[in-house]
C-alpha cells in the first residue's frame, strides 16, 4: 500500500471538494458463487482502495467534511478469525497504517448514519453496483432498493472523478508493474502459438503468469481466432494455419492497478500479405491516436484522428470509396471500426465506470453520440496531463453485420460490398496500449510489448 500520508491527503482533498455533510465509502463484501462459503475471488471497491487503502471485506468509512475526521467501521479480529485465516494486524493497526485513528464496530455504522439523517446532515454516497451494498444502503438509510443508484451524490461523484482522473507518479509506477507482468503474458502466449494448440491453453498460460505476478487478471481474457467478436470470452477453438490470434488481456498489480493491452498475431510464423495490409492500417491508426493524445485535445478528436487513418487505409484497399470526412461523419467506417478508441484506465480497467460513464467521459455540452460505433466511445472530453488512456483501434469483418448493411443498402455510396466478400473470413485486428498524457510527448506506459510487424514475426519464428 502507499504511505499513510498519501491516503490522508487524498481524503483531505475529497472532503474539501465536497464541502458539507458526511461522505460514506463502502468496501466490498465477499460475494457467493454457488453457495455461501464458496465465493468469487474478493476484489475491493476501487474508491475504497483509493481513499482508505485497506484490501479486505466488511469495511466502511465515514469522512466528516466538517471536522475533517475519518472513522473506519469494521470488526476487530477474533481468535476464530486467526484460527481460520492466520494471524493478522489488528484493525486498529491497519487503520493507523492508512492514517486513520478512529475505528468503530461495523454494527455502529447504521446508528451513525441514522443519527446524521435525523440531524438533516447530507450523507453523500456512491452508486452501489454490488447487491450486498445496495441492500445495506437501502436498509440503513430507508431508501428504495431498486432506485438506490438515483440517490447517489453527484457532488461526490464529480469530486472523485476529478481527483482519480489525474494519476500521480506512484500510481503510474503501479500501472507499469502491471504492464511488466502483462508483457510476460504476451511473450509466453505468442511463443506458444502454433497450429493445433487450443485457445484455452494460451489463455491458461497467460492467466497463470498474471497470478504468479502477485496480482490477478484485471478483466477476463479475450484470446480468440474470432477477433471480430468484440467481447469473445470463449476459448474452445483449436488454432489453424492461416488464422490470426487476437488477445486482449491485462494483469492487475498487487495494489490493483490495471493494465489493458491488445495484440494480434498470426498462428503461422508470418502474416499473410492481406493480414499485413490490414494490420499496418490498424497500427498506423494506433500511432496516430497516441500522437494526438495531448492536453487540451478532446478524446473525441483523438478518436476521429484514428478513424481517419482507418478510413484512408480501407480506401487504399478499395473497401471504402469517397470523401474521408463524409464517410466518417456518416459513420460508414463503423462497419469496420464499431467501437470507441479507448477509455480511462487506473484502479479499474475502465476507470471509475461504477461512477457512471457520463461523469467520467463526457461533460455538459458534450453529449454522447447515438450513432452506431461512436456511441461506444467511453470518453470524449478534453485530455489533461496525468490522464492514462487506452488507445485501441481495430478493423473487423463481421459477416452478419456486412450482410445486414448490404441487404439494407446502407452507405452503399461509400462501402464496396462486392470487394468485401473476399474478407468475410478475415476475423479482426486490434492493437491496444495504455498511454499517459503529459505536458509534452504522450508516453506509452510499460516495457514495450512487440507490435511492429517485423517484431512480431521475429518472435514467432
Ligand atoms: N479490455 C477491455 C477493453 O479493452 O476495453
Ligand atoms: Mn482491452
Ligand atoms: Mn481497453
Amino acid at each position: 500500500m502507499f504511505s499513510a500520508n498519501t491516503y490522508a491527503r487524498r481524503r483531505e482533498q475529497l472532503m474539501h471538494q465536497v464541502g458539507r455533510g458526511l461522505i460514506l465509502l463502502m468496501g466490498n463484501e465477499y460475494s457467493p458463487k454457488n453457495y455461501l462459503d464458496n465465493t468469487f475471488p474478493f476484489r475491493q471497491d476501487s474508491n475504497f482502495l483509493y481513499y482508505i487503502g485497506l484490501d479486505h471485506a466488511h469495511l466502511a468509512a465515514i469522512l466528516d467534511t466538517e471536522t475533517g475526521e475519518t472513522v473506519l467501521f469494521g470488526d476487530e479480529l477474533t481468535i476464530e478469525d486467526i484460527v481460520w485465516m492466520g494471524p493478522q494486524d489488528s484493525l486498529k493497526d491497519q487503520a493507523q497504517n492508512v492514517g486513520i485513528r478512529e475505528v468503530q464496530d461495523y454494527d455502529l455504522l447504521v446508528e451513525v448514519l441514522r443519527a446524521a439523517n435525523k440531524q438533516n446532515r447530507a450523507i453523500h454516497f456512491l452508486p452501489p453496483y454490488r447487491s450486498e451494498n445496495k441492500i445495506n444502503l437501502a436498509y440503513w438509510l430507508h431508501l428504495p432498493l431498486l432506485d438506490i443508484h438515483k440517490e447517489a451524490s453527484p457532488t461526490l461523484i464529480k469530486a472523485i472523478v476529478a481527483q482519480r482522473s489525474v494519476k500521480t507518479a506512484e500510481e503510474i509506477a503501479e500501472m507499469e508493474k502491471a504492464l511488466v507482468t502483462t508483457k510476460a503474458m504476451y511473450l509466453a502466449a505468442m511463443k506458444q502459438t502454433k497450429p493445433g494448440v487450443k485457445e484455452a491453453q494460451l489463455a491458461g498460460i497467460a492467466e497463470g503468469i498474471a497470478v504468479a505476478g502477485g496480482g490477478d487478471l484485471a478483466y477476463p481474457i479475450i484470446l480468440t481466432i474470432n477477433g471480430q467478436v468484440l467481447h469473445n470470452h470463449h476459448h474452445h477453438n483449436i488454432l489453424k494455419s492461416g488464422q490470426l490470434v487476437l488477445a486482449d488481456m491485462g494483469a492487475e498489480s498487487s495494489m490493483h492497478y490495471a493494465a489493458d493491452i491488445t495484440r494480434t498475431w498470426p498462428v503461422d510464423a508470418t502474416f499473410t500479405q492481406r493480414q499485413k495490409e490490414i494490420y499496418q492500417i490498424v497500427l498506423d491508426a494506433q500511432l496516430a491516436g497516441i500522437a494526438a493524445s495531448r492536453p487540451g485535445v478532446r478524446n473525441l478528436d483523438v478518436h476521429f484522428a484514428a478513424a481517419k487513418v482507418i478510413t484512408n487505409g480501407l480506401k487504399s484497399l478499395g473497401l471504402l470509396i469517397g470523401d474521408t470526412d463524409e464517410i466518417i461523419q456518416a459513420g460508414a467506417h463503423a462497419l469496420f471500426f464499431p467501437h470507441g478508441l479507448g477509455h480511462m484506465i487506473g484502479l479499474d480497467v475502465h476507470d471509475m465506470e461504477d461512477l457512471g460513464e457520463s461523469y467520467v467521459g463526457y461533460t455538459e455540452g458534450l453529449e454522447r453520440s447515438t450513432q452506431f460505433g461512436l456511441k461506444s466511445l467511453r470518453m470524449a472530453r478534453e485530455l489533461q496531463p496525468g490522464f492514462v488512456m487506452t488507445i485501441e483501434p481495430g478493423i473487423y469483418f463481421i459477416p452478419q453485420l456486412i450482410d445486414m448493411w448490404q441487404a439494407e443498402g446502407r452507405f452503399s455510396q461509400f462501402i464496396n460490398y462486392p470487394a468485401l466478400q473476399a474478407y468475410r473470413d478475415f476475423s479482426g485486428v486490434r492493437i491496444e496500449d495504455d498511454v499517459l498524457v503529459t505536458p509534452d510527448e504522450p508516453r506509452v506506459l510499460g516495457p514495450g510489448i512487440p507490435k511492429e510487424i517485423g517484431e512480431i514475426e521475429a518472435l514467432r519464428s
Side-chain angles (χ1 to χ4, degrees), residues 248 260 343 349-350 390 392 432:
D248 184 340
D260 184 8
H343 48 85
V349 65
H350 292 174
T390 67
E392 48 177 311
E432 173 173 29

